[in-house]
Amino acid sequence: MTTTVLITGANKGIGFQTARLLGARGMTVLLGARDEQRGRQAEHRLREGGADARFVQLDVTDPGSIAAAAGWVKAEYGRLDVLVNNAGIVRADGGGLPSQTTLATIREVYDTNVFGVVAVTSALLPLLRAAPAARIVNVSSEVGSIASMTDPDSPLWPIASVPYPSSKAALNMVTAMYAKELRDTPIKVNAANPGYCATDFNANSGFRTAEQGAEVCVHLATLPADGPSGLLWGHLWRSDDTESYGVLPW
Ligand SMILES: NC(=O)c1ccc[n+]([C@@H]2O[C@H](COP(=O)([O-])OP(=O)(O)OC[C@H]3O[C@@H](n4cnc5c(N)ncnc54)[C@H](OP(=O)(O)O)[C@@H]3O)[C@@H](O)[C@H]2O)c1
């Protein structure tokens, strides 16, 4: 039976590269994208590369879109082996300082980065439970690590922004709580830190590639039965610029 993976926000960036890498491993890739044209273009690119890729319309802030996507996956496949909650946005008023931040901006970011993940995960959980050993990967960030952001010796110390970092901190807790609820099942739930990757997200200023970020997601999407659950895992920012991966502090 085919192994299916659904990736949200898969039309570009880290989500697209995750889809490409998992497609190359023989998985059936369901490309979630909120915009049909962008989603179909990504589907076309992956199919040209030989992947079994299918676009599915999915806006993670739209309950109707989520329900329709879940219904389609159920009708087509009857189960889901891997869910990668990748769709995310960054917004800030001014520099994002707490004193400059509006609730409207925080709500907008949380709608996608936090509430969207909960809504999509819960809608797909019956299909993930129907798979033999499902994996859930929530694409988070090192700026969601309270320990790292409050460490004066961390390269993240100069950042003092509320909307995006606090949304990823909330996502980390969401990850830990789903992992706890599902601890007696074969399902593993982890948060991924792709590292600072050059994508549209940051006007391509990242020092890692989207593919390198995707490799972190692939690792967590393909964990073996004795792999961990309930961790923030991924790229570790080292002052000597060497590549390193491991568990990040919450
Ligand atoms: N790049 C980095 O350095 C970095 C570092 C740490 C974590 N991350 C995380 O990695 C994930 C992917 O980021 P990226 O760098 O690949 O960014 P990106 O290139 O901007 O891609 C973001 C993707 O999310 C989609 N999206 C946004 N809102 C959506 C919604 N409501 N419903 C469905 N899809 C939606 C976008 O779709 P449209 O094309 O339609 O806008 C796009 O496909 C995010 O969760 C981000 O927080 C990125």
Side-chain angles (χ1 to χ4, degrees):
M1 197 174 183
T2 182
T3 302
T4 52
V5 51
L6 173 63
I7 302 160
T8 66
N11 54 286
K12 67 177 181 179
I14 295 166
F16 178 80
Q17 291 300 330
T18 302
R20 193 177 64 73
L21 293 175
L22 291 175
R25 287 175 170 239
M27 290 189 189
T28 294
V29 179
L30 310 179
L31 285 162
R34 58 180 165 178
D35 179 87
E36 175 159 6
Q37 192 181 2
R38 291 195 285 272
R40 294 266 179 226
Q41 281 171 354
E43 176 193 63
H44 182 68
R45 282 173 63 196
L46 288 187
R47 292 186 81 86
E48 272 192 334
D52 181 17
R54 297 182 74 186
F55 158 72
V56 54
Q57 199 282 333
L58 181 48
D59 182 333
V60 304
T61 65
D62 178 350
S65 168
I66 295 169
W72 178 79
V73 176
K74 183 178 182 186
E76 292 289 316
Y77 301 98
R79 73 177 212 208
L80 184 64
D81 295 281
V82 181
L83 170 64
V84 182
N85 285 305
N86 165 77
I89 60 169
V90 62
R91 302 279 186 275
D93 304 299
L97 285 171
S99 58
Q100 297 173 353
T101 298
T102 64
L103 292 184
T105 298
I106 296 179
R107 286 195 182 99
E108 183 186 2
V109 173
Y110 275 53
D111 263 347
T112 301
N113 295 7
V114 186
F115 308 147
V117 173
V118 173
V120 169
T121 303
S122 290
L124 290 164
L125 201 50
L127 298 177
L128 292 158
R129 286 184 186 275
R135 303 285 178 259
I136 301 172
V137 182
N138 294 332
V139 184
S140 186
S141 170
E142 56 218 325
V143 304
S145 162
I146 295 175
S148 300
M149 291 286 273
T150 55
D151 175 1
D153 294 327
S154 165
L156 305 172
W157 174 249
I159 303 171
S161 173
V162 161
Y164 181 75
S166 69
S167 77
K168 293 299 189 183
L171 177 61
N172 290 346
M173 181 62 87
V174 166
T175 305
M177 294 302 104
Y178 272 103
K180 200 191 277 190
E181 180 183 352
L182 297 167
R183 67 185 180 280
D184 295 327
T185 77
I187 301 175
K188 297 188 187 303
V189 191
N190 289 290
N193 174 36
Y196 188 35
C197 304
T199 67
D200 290 347
F201 203 77
N202 46 36
N204 289 291
S205 61
F207 54 75
R208 286 164 54 77
T209 66
E211 179 172 353
Q212 287 176 310
E215 282 164 1
V216 171
C217 303
V218 169
H219 174 81
L220 294 175
T222 57
L223 284 174
D226 61 351
S229 187
L231 293 179
L232 172 61
W233 187 92
H235 182 251
L236 302 174
W237 203 335
R238 304 249 301 238
S239 52
D240 61 3
D241 277 350
T242 53
E243 285 295 298
S244 181
Y245 297 88
V247 177
L248 283 87
W250 291 125

